[in-house]
Amino acid sequence: MTVEVKRRRALGLIGAAGLAALAAGCAPRVEGQATSRWDVMGAHREGKVVVYVNTGVYGPVAEGFRKRFPKIKLTMVEVAARPLQARVMAETDSGAPVADVAWSSSMDIQVKLINDGYAQTYRSPEARHLPAWAVWRDQGFGVTAEPIVFAYNKRLLKEEDVPRSHAALLGALRDDPARWRGRIAMYDPEKSGVGFLYMSSDTVVYPDAWALYDALAASDPGLYVPGAPILASVTAGQHLLAYDMNRSYADWWARGQGPDIGYVTPSDYYLSIARVAFITRSAPHPKAARLFLDYLMSEEGQRRLAQARLTPIREGLSAAPPPGGRPIRVGPALLANFDQGRREEMLARWRRARGDRNQAPVD
């Protein structure tokens, strides 16, 4: 190789390095958000991100993202947890993906999708602000920490009559079953992914969980799949109390839909759930998906979650949680909810408690 050729190659390498440095210097930064410059550039080139979400309480988040990134078209598609799961799987398996991000409060369904290979890895620079229990495999990210409470009708149920613990609710159902018959609303554990998650988690945490669920079943409760009809029925007075209701949703509802709604955080323990988000494996706009995911975890995004009456998971952005919280970890333990034998055993017991004598006994 001649000296001239070597000189030209060296100049070429220097030039390439200079161009890369120049490009990095010109790449847009996002103040207050740690997304890499390259991902920000890529997101702007893609110009679009589609998010599947299982709740309507996302307005301030969407507004904030659109304001910060006006050149990126954000499409939020509201879909219940189980249909969300089916759509992500069908889109990926068919090679015709639509969703870039899946974001849901059905933690077990999200973990199942991640475990089955429907998510992609992203080592988010914002994840360091989350507690260890909220991040799994650099794929699933819990972006909220929301207590599960009892909601009630303040107009029809005196404050002193509201059960303030799971033990107190069990005692009330046993002591005066006639008063509570048909007056409790709850998620249907057979049809609602969230409902089964709560039932399964209660049985792990609370020694008398089955006694409580037996008493709830005997009270002829109103069973629902989405949360809105639960709170609507309590607001209307059809039911007095909603069992295992997300506090964020109850608070949002009380402020905008039904001022008669109150809620109590159970004093013996309360579940705490995280809304889990992940980037789908075949996301059509992966850089924009990273940008949106980082936004959810950023300080601004977390403040926007608080505006939506969702509880931020980053420390220092909300009041200290009350004692007794039992966070549901984002991780493989939730896969037990998909053990068909265990699931059927739990649901068979629930059906028998409700008086369905056609169910075979469980050994």
Side-chain angles (χ1 to χ4, degrees):
M1 183 181 295
T2 67
V3 173
E4 179 63 21
V5 171
K6 289 182 178 179
R7 186 181 71 84
R8 288 179 179 177
R9 285 194 174 183
L11 288 173
L13 290 172
I14 293 171
L19 287 172
L22 180 62
C26 294
R29 286 184 177 274
V30 181
E31 185 178 351
Q33 186 169 322
T35 311
S36 77
R37 288 173 167 178
W38 299 111
D39 285 339
V40 176
M41 288 178 64
H44 280 88
R45 283 196 301 269
E46 292 168 352
K48 181 179 181 180
V49 60
V50 177
V51 179
Y52 285 179
V53 59
N54 79 325
T55 178
V57 191
Y58 56 76
V61 175
E63 179 186 3
F65 183 86
R66 289 172 178 137
K67 183 176 180 180
R68 170 157 281 211
F69 305 105
K71 295 182 179 179
I72 299 174
K73 180 182 178 182
L74 170 64
T75 301
M76 305 289 285
V77 180
E78 189 175 340
V79 57
R82 291 193 183 281
L84 184 153
Q85 178 188 28
R87 288 175 69 164
V88 169
M89 293 173 64
E91 290 174 9
T92 304
D93 294 345
S94 67
V98 175
D100 297 299
V101 175
W103 181 24
S104 172
S105 57
S106 289
M107 298 175 66
D108 49 356
I109 290 178
Q110 294 291 86
V111 166
K112 174 67 171 171
L113 283 167
I114 294 167
N115 186 71
D116 290 350
Y118 289 96
Q120 59 178 266
T121 299
Y122 174 44
R123 292 179 176 84
S124 169
E126 292 288 349
R128 62 189 177 90
H129 299 293
L130 274 55
W133 62 263
V135 180
W136 186 45
R137 300 199 319 196
D138 287 322
Q139 293 182 332
F141 303 87
V143 298
T144 60
E146 302 169 56
I148 304 305
V149 302
F150 304 157
Y152 66 98
N153 186 307
K154 295 188 294 184
R155 178 170 46 86
L156 300 178
L157 193 60
K158 296 179 181 179
E159 187 173 354
E160 59 267 26
D161 293 335
V162 179
R164 297 190 172 272
S165 68
H166 295 83
L169 177 58
L170 174 58
L173 290 169
R174 284 174 167 173
D175 293 344
D176 194 356
R179 180 185 187 187
W180 295 99
R181 185 164 186 80
R183 306 312 303 275
I184 293 179
M186 59 187 291
Y187 286 100
D188 187 335
E190 292 192 75
K191 299 177 181 178
S192 165
V194 170
F196 187 79
L197 171 65
Y198 292 167
M199 171 187 275
S200 176
S201 300
D202 277 334
T203 61
V204 171
V205 173
Y206 183 39
D208 289 329
W210 274 118
L212 176 56
Y213 273 93
D214 287 346
L216 286 167
S219 75
D220 191 23
L223 300 176
Y224 300 86
V225 175
I230 297 179
L231 292 174
S233 71
V234 175
T235 300
Q238 179 182 351
H239 302 295
L240 295 177
L241 182 141
Y243 176 72
D244 269 1
M245 176 55 58
N246 188 305
R247 187 186 72 180
S248 299
Y249 196 31
D251 185 61
W252 174 82
W253 184 276
R255 290 172 181 269
Q257 305 288 331
D260 288 334
I261 290 290
Y263 55 84
V264 296
T265 304
S267 60
D268 46 3
Y269 81 91
Y270 62 90
L271 301 174
S272 179
I273 70 160
R275 295 175 191 265
V276 179
F278 65 83
I279 302 172
T280 61
R281 187 181 77 203
S282 302
H285 314 99
K287 302 300 185 184
R290 289 183 173 191
L291 193 65
F292 181 82
L293 192 59
D294 283 345
Y295 181 77
L296 284 178
M297 292 183 277
S298 72
E299 184 170 338
E300 179 184 320
Q302 291 280 294
R303 292 189 186 280
R304 288 284 185 168
L305 286 169
Q307 291 176 21
R309 316 311 302 175
L310 302 176
T311 308
I313 199 167
R314 282 178 68 137
E315 292 185 1
L317 297 183
S318 60
R326 300 290 189 273
I328 302 175
R329 297 183 66 91
V330 181
L334 288 169
L335 295 173
N337 289 352
F338 295 91
D339 180 322
Q340 290 304 308
R342 176 177 180 270
R343 178 183 176 85
E344 184 52 37
E345 180 179 349
M346 293 179 68
L347 292 179
R349 177 165 183 169
W350 168 251
R351 295 184 198 109
R352 288 201 314 277
R354 293 189 61 221
D356 187 344
R357 304 305 179 187
N358 294 323
Q359 295 300 314
V362 177
D363 295 332

